[in-house]
Amino acid sequence: MVKFSKQFEGQLIPEWKEAFVDYWQLKKGIKKIQIFNNTNNTPNMHQTSSMPKSIISSIRNYSLFGNQHREHGPIQVHRKLASSTSKGDMYETELLEQFADSDAAKEFFACLDHQLNKVNKFYRTKEEEFMERGDSLRKQMKILVELKSTFLEKQGKGGCSQESKEDQSISCTFSNEEDSVRNRELQEEMQETSTDDKNETPFSDSPCTGEVGKSMQMKSEDGKLRTHSGRINNYQGKNLRINIPLTTPSRTFSAISYLVREDLLNQSSRKCGTEGGKIHVNKTKLHHAEKMIKGGFIELYKGLGYLKVYRNLNMLAFLKILKKFDKVTAKQILPIYLKVVESSYFNSSDKVMKLADEVEELFVKKFAEDNRRKAMKYLRPSQAKESHFVTFFIGLFTGCLLALLAGYVIMAHVTGLYRPKQHSVYMETVYPVLSMFSLMFLHFFLYGCNILAWRKTRINYSFIFELAPTKDLKYGDIFLVCTMAMTTVIGVISLHLTLLTKGYSYAQVQNIPGLLLLVFLLMLVCPFNIIYRSSRYRFLCVIRNITLSPLYKVVMLDFFMADQLCSQVPMIRNLEYVACYYITGSYKTQDYGYCMRTKHYRDLAYAVSFLPYYWRAMQCARRWFEEGQRSHLVNLGKYVSAMLAAGAKVAYEKDESIVWLCLVVIMSSAATMYQLYWDFVKDWGLLQINSNNPWLRNELMLQRKSIYYFSMGLNLILRLAWLQTVLHSSFESVDYRVTSLFLAALEVIRRGLWNFYRLENEHLNNAGKFRAVKTVPLPFHEVDEEDL
């Protein structure tokens, strides 16, 4: 039977862990009482202490006025009404009977009262937050219904031709005096509780969180909004602002044009004294507003569900700990204190239940067309169960992979493929394909290990990356994909090598590696719902967002993936070479040196070497523009230094002169120091001088501190892999390409290590602010008259 402490730890919300009952501290208090009872439970001690105890007990049973306290039992819990300084009622326990260890008992009940007050305070705070959010969403929904009904009424009157139905809009009068995009965005960021990481402020991955809006202020006309349809939308005479997130390049460009138009209108209004222009609220804007409100309801319902779990688990924790206390002390404390807990605010308030029912009813009616089953797919998504077939096939493909790999290594050793200056055609054409797949799936395998470690340490990676609970890949799925893919790759490469050993020429079998790469690319973009289509589509969207930086809104998953690409520069260069080799048709003549002789390819090689760093720098620039934090500019400098080091390294490979060698040493050393500082201090949150854990941080997810010190040292060593470029070290009797693959694999391993601590730090930031659900910005905002 699973102990309650394990069950309690496994079910609590990780981001709210500090707000739950500290069950382990209360158990320590009971342990102290139990140890005292065991050490003092002797007959002589009992006889000598029975008389004083009986006297003290009889005296305590009566007050000076003769009133008996027996009706209160061993304890009495006093309830202090809420004052102006405290939020909610406070509870304090008074001991009416002498316990065996009075000091330990007083300490235990003081801790118990503190936990009860803490739970009540947190519950009340979160309840007020969610109730306020619910009121805002109801108002947003009311405004949306009014605008949609007005739009449909106008559309029903047939005021426009069939071709322009998409462009039909509600025309309203807006004021010109608006804030710039930067000021509006900063104001919105203050309203949200976005992650305040010293380095990367993730977050959130959602395109709705912390985004720049196109602010449009509706000017009221006698307290009403007049549309082209002639309908008057009276919304309590309030001015409204519509915020549509700038998550795509089209919206980004429109924001730039909006700034220009705003400046022109402001200048014309100063000259002519005009009141402003007209801006249209069209169908597209209404669709985006509806999507934002729908997301807000989903997150609100999720938060209400978490609050229900919070109440039930804490109630169960109080029950269990009081049972343990009664068992140890042989007192009847449970009925007395449990009655107080049951009547306390966190257990007696029913506002959360009512609001959850209201959200369900409203969501079913407005967003699911009265289809409750459809609504529950959004509000209560069911997680896919782990299948034993996945485990079976992981083992099957792992065995096949090891067997094929052993056969390939033996054949390569017998034929002498990897010896220096041997079989240059094979090493220049086939080996880059094998190297590329090996680095890619090693990285993917390490990501699966990261997920397994995050789950073991209760790091909510799905929330941090904002992955759908029904569609995100589990570590078992990742291991299955890795083993299956690498089994296919090693099998095809082994077949290619076998054909060569049987006398086939390179011209006859050279298209096999190219076909292998083509098959994997087709599987990646396959439109059919097979082989994890939702994850493949998400991956392609993230790659699109990265390559088009800074036009897309930067979210956690985007810059996390961009950091992975920074560790895959050798893989990208291999992909570039293989693509050039097959696209130009060089594989037909085995002219593997054609691409190296082409000037365009050499120029592209320079670009590929620092392209991931450029993308990451552009993401930092976009985030600085949106959030205005200087830390993003400092982070941008880190990637600029990495670009300079990568460019100097590529130039040194082409021209091994003493000048380029000095530049490589200087630039790489500076970039390494910059990166190490950022890794330890910013990304991992370590090296805190005043920390309780020397040179670490106050809160650690891993129990053994030595793991953190070892990881810091390993990260330092792996960061110095660039020294191989200067020392020209290589293994004996092994081609230099094998050495390059080994060093590239070490960088991938370093990145896998970095991933765990990066998300650990992010999780602790969320837990420090009790952030368990997204704060989705809402489209409609009221504006005061003086702000117009």
Side-chain angles (χ1 to χ4, degrees):
M1 185 176 179
V2 181
K3 292 184 177 180
F4 174 74
S5 57
K6 296 291 184 181
Q7 181 184 2
F8 182 70
E9 185 178 9
Q11 294 182 4
L12 57 81
I13 294 94
E15 290 79 8
W16 293 356
K17 184 176 180 179
E18 296 299 324
F20 276 84
V21 172
D22 196 341
Y23 186 78
W24 298 270
Q25 185 179 0
L26 292 173
K27 282 183 65 177
K28 289 180 181 179
I30 293 179
K31 193 70 174 178
K32 290 182 181 179
I33 299 175
Q34 187 177 15
I35 293 174
F36 183 85
N37 291 341
N38 293 335
T39 55
N40 295 276
N41 191 17
T42 59
N44 294 333
M45 181 74 67
H46 180 72
Q47 292 176 2
T48 56
S49 61
S50 59
M51 182 64 67
K53 286 184 179 178
S54 61
I55 296 174
I56 295 174
S57 176
S58 60
I59 293 175
R60 291 182 62 87
N61 288 338
Y62 294 90
S63 65
L64 295 175
F65 301 98
N67 296 327
Q68 292 190 4
H69 289 278
R70 273 294 176 189
E71 58 183 9
H72 298 296
I75 63 171
Q76 182 178 3
V77 182
H78 300 283
R79 178 182 178 184
K80 298 180 180 179
L81 298 180
S83 62
S84 57
T85 57
S86 63
K87 193 172 185 179
D89 299 337
M90 305 293 290
Y91 295 91
E92 184 177 352
T93 302
E94 179 186 0
L95 304 184
L96 301 180
E97 288 188 3
Q98 183 70 24
F99 286 82
D101 185 2
S102 59
D103 293 336
K106 289 180 181 179
E107 183 180 351
F108 171 79
F109 281 106
C111 181
L112 191 65
D113 295 336
H114 172 71
Q115 298 300 322
L116 179 59
N117 296 329
K118 179 183 71 174
V119 170
N120 280 324
K121 182 180 179 180
F122 180 82
Y123 187 89
R124 187 187 295 270
T125 302
K126 283 297 177 182
E127 183 186 68
E128 291 177 357
E129 177 185 335
F130 290 139
M131 294 299 295
E132 182 180 354
R133 193 68 175 173
D135 293 338
S136 300
L137 283 169
R138 278 192 291 265
K139 294 178 181 178
Q140 297 282 317
M141 196 69 224
K142 186 175 181 181
I143 298 173
L144 179 64
V145 170
E146 289 285 335
L147 291 177
K148 287 181 68 174
S149 60
T150 304
F151 185 86
L152 292 176
E153 180 180 339
K154 174 187 174 182
Q155 196 174 32
K157 290 188 177 182
C160 299
S161 62
Q162 185 70 20
E163 295 180 354
S164 62
K165 279 189 176 181
E166 285 294 323
D167 296 331
Q168 292 183 23
S169 60
I170 308 170
S171 180
C172 305
T173 303
F174 295 83
S175 66
N176 290 330
E177 300 297 330
E178 300 178 355
D179 298 332
S180 63
V181 172
R182 172 74 64 81
N183 291 335
R184 289 195 307 272
E185 194 272 341
L186 288 175
Q187 185 179 12
E188 184 178 350
E189 286 291 323
M190 292 177 62
Q191 294 173 355
E192 300 172 11
T193 54
S194 60
T195 306
D196 187 19
D197 187 5
K198 294 180 182 179
N199 163 32
E200 309 282 3
T201 309
F203 197 54
S204 129
D205 187 335
S206 168
C208 298
T209 307
E211 295 170 349
V212 185
K214 287 184 189 176
S215 299
M216 296 179 294
Q217 302 174 355
M218 295 184 176
K219 185 178 179 182
S220 61
E221 181 179 348
D222 295 332
K224 303 176 180 179
L225 294 176
R226 187 176 297 276
T227 66
H228 276 177
S229 63
R231 172 167 178 165
I232 304 299
N233 294 322
N234 187 349
Y235 202 75
Q236 302 176 358
K238 295 179 180 178
N239 302 294
L240 300 177
R241 171 183 295 166
I242 304 178
N243 292 332
I244 303 298
L246 301 177
T247 57
T248 62
S250 60
R251 298 183 199 170
T252 304
F253 286 129
S254 64
I256 297 174
S257 61
Y258 178 77
L259 277 175
V260 177
R261 186 171 62 251
E262 179 184 278
D263 293 337
L264 293 176
L265 288 175
N266 287 338
Q267 292 177 4
S268 63
S269 63
R270 293 189 190 101
K271 294 179 180 180
C272 304
T274 57
E275 291 187 359
K278 290 186 177 181
I279 301 179
H280 301 283
V281 183
N282 55 24
K283 185 177 181 180
T284 303
K285 293 190 176 100
L286 289 178
H287 174 72
H288 286 301
E290 181 178 4
K291 189 175 181 180
M292 294 170 67
I293 295 174
K294 180 179 178 180
F297 274 112
I298 293 174
E299 292 302 318
L300 173 62
Y301 190 83
K302 185 190 297 185
L304 295 174
Y306 285 162
L307 209 52
K308 293 179 186 178
V309 173
Y310 178 81
R311 177 176 60 187
N312 296 334
L313 281 180
N314 283 317
M315 191 66 200
L316 191 58
F318 280 116
L319 176 62
K320 291 290 185 179
I321 204 66
L322 289 172
K323 280 185 177 180
K324 286 182 178 293
F325 185 87
D326 285 0
K327 184 178 180 180
V328 170
T329 60
K331 302 285 185 179
Q332 296 298 321
I333 303 298
L334 175 62
I336 303 173
Y337 204 94
L338 190 62
K339 185 178 180 181
V340 176
V341 175
E342 290 176 345
S343 62
S344 63
Y345 187 84
F346 86 95
N347 187 65
S348 60
S349 177
D350 60 346
K351 294 180 181 180
V352 171
M353 301 294 294
K354 292 180 179 179
L355 182 58
D357 294 339
E358 184 179 351
V359 170
E360 279 189 22
E361 181 181 355
L362 189 60
F363 196 92
V364 170
K365 182 179 180 181
K366 300 297 182 181
F367 299 106
E369 300 175 351
D370 292 327
N371 188 340
R372 184 174 180 81
R373 179 176 296 180
K374 179 181 177 181
M376 290 300 106
K377 290 182 180 179
Y378 293 98
L379 297 177
R380 299 176 189 171
S382 58
Q383 296 186 357
K385 297 181 180 179
E386 297 182 0
S387 174
H388 294 291
F389 287 102
V390 174
T391 307
F392 169 77
F393 281 109
I394 290 175
L396 176 64
F397 285 117
T398 301
C400 295
L401 173 61
L402 293 177
L404 289 172
L405 184 60
Y408 176 77
V409 171
I410 292 174
M411 284 192 296
H413 177 71
V414 171
T415 57
L417 284 178
Y418 295 149
R419 294 173 186 171
K421 299 180 181 179
Q422 297 288 332
H423 301 277
S424 57
V425 177
Y426 185 88
M427 296 302 295
E428 293 286 353
T429 58
V430 181
Y431 187 75
V433 177
L434 177 61
S435 175
M436 179 181 60
F437 281 115
S438 300
L439 291 175
M440 181 171 61
F441 287 109
L442 172 63
H443 206 145
F444 201 39
F445 173 78
L446 291 175
Y447 177 67
C449 295
N450 288 144
I451 291 180
L452 180 60
W454 291 331
R455 291 189 61 179
K456 292 294 184 180
T457 53
R458 298 278 291 163
I459 294 176
N460 196 355
Y461 69 95
S462 296
F463 170 69
I464 295 175
F465 290 139
E466 299 201 13
L467 301 174
T470 58
K471 297 180 180 180
D472 63 321
L473 290 176
K474 307 297 187 296
Y475 65 89
D477 300 321
I478 294 176
F479 292 155
L480 177 61
V481 172
C482 291
T483 54
M484 182 173 59
M486 283 307 298
T487 300
T488 304
V489 171
I490 299 298
V492 172
I493 297 299
S494 299
L495 175 63
H496 178 270
L497 183 57
T498 303
L499 293 176
L500 288 177
T501 56
K502 288 187 176 182
Y504 287 86
S505 64
Y506 279 100
Q508 292 175 305
V509 297
Q510 200 65 359
N511 56 347
I512 293 179
L515 291 176
L516 176 65
L517 178 60
L518 181 61
V519 168
F520 273 92
L521 290 177
L522 291 177
M523 290 175 59
L524 180 62
V525 298
C526 178
F528 302 108
N529 192 13
I530 56 174
I531 316 178
Y532 307 105
R533 183 181 67 173
S534 60
S535 298
R536 289 188 286 108
Y537 176 76
R538 184 68 179 269
F539 173 77
L540 292 175
C541 290
V542 172
I543 295 297
R544 177 204 61 190
N545 296 350
I546 293 173
T547 54
L548 295 179
S549 300
L551 300 180
Y552 278 93
K553 166 70 180 178
V554 182
V555 292
M556 177 67 180
L557 192 58
D558 291 345
F559 67 71
F560 183 83
M561 185 63 193
D563 280 325
Q564 312 307 307
L565 293 180
C566 291
S567 297
Q568 286 286 6
V569 173
M571 187 270 291
I572 298 175
R573 294 186 64 180
N574 284 332
L575 178 61
E576 174 201 12
Y577 174 78
V578 171
C580 175
Y581 180 72
Y582 283 99
I583 291 176
T584 58
S586 300
Y587 71 97
K588 297 178 181 179
T589 60
Q590 290 83 54
D591 186 10
Y592 55 84
Y594 173 79
C595 293
M596 302 300 295
R597 295 191 303 268
T598 306
K599 182 179 183 301
H600 297 294
Y601 175 82
R602 292 198 302 268
D603 295 338
L604 186 60
Y606 277 98
V608 168
S609 298
F610 59 80
L611 196 56
Y613 303 109
Y614 166 79
W615 290 331
R616 194 64 187 87
M618 290 299 99
Q619 288 179 337
C620 294
R622 170 70 185 251
R623 297 189 66 195
W624 170 78
F625 177 77
E626 292 177 349
E627 302 171 12
Q629 297 182 5
R630 294 183 179 179
S631 60
H632 297 309
L633 287 180
V634 181
N635 196 19
L636 185 148
K638 181 186 73 171
Y639 294 103
V640 171
S641 66
M643 280 192 286
L644 296 176
K649 200 176 301 181
V650 173
Y652 177 69
E653 292 176 359
K654 303 299 180 183
D655 181 15
E656 296 185 357
S657 62
I658 190 64
V659 176
W660 283 113
L661 177 60
C662 294
L663 285 176
V664 167
V665 173
I666 295 173
M667 297 306 303
S668 298
S669 300
T672 300
M673 296 300 296
Y674 206 154
Q675 292 163 356
L676 285 173
Y677 168 78
W678 206 268
D679 286 344
F680 297 151
V681 178
K682 300 296 184 178
D683 289 337
W684 295 3
L686 303 178
L687 295 182
Q688 296 182 9
I689 301 176
N690 298 323
S691 172
N692 298 330
N693 305 305
W695 297 106
L696 299 178
R697 64 172 100 88
N698 290 329
E699 297 183 21
L700 302 174
M701 300 297 294
L702 302 178
Q703 295 181 354
R704 297 183 178 179
K705 301 177 184 178
S706 58
I707 298 178
Y708 291 92
Y709 297 115
F710 173 77
S711 300
M712 293 168 66
L714 184 60
N715 186 73
L716 171 62
I717 295 173
L718 295 179
R719 278 287 190 187
L720 298 176
W722 60 268
L723 288 174
Q724 186 271 342
T725 307
V726 180
L727 301 176
H728 297 285
S729 59
S730 61
F731 301 107
E732 292 185 2
S733 302
V734 176
D735 192 273
Y736 74 93
R737 299 174 187 85
V738 179
T739 306
S740 299
L741 175 61
F742 176 74
L743 294 175
L746 290 181
E747 170 59 23
V748 172
I749 294 173
R750 188 202 66 81
R751 180 60 65 179
L753 182 71
W754 179 90
N755 290 342
F756 174 80
Y757 295 108
R758 178 66 186 87
L759 251 69
E760 180 193 16
N761 189 35
E762 184 60 40
H763 172 78
L764 292 175
N765 287 334
N766 288 335
K769 299 179 180 179
F770 302 107
R771 186 183 298 110
V773 293
K774 294 186 297 184
T775 304
V776 180
L778 302 177
F780 308 112
H781 297 271
E782 298 178 7
V783 183
D784 297 333
E785 287 289 341
E786 55 269 18
D787 295 334
L788 291 175

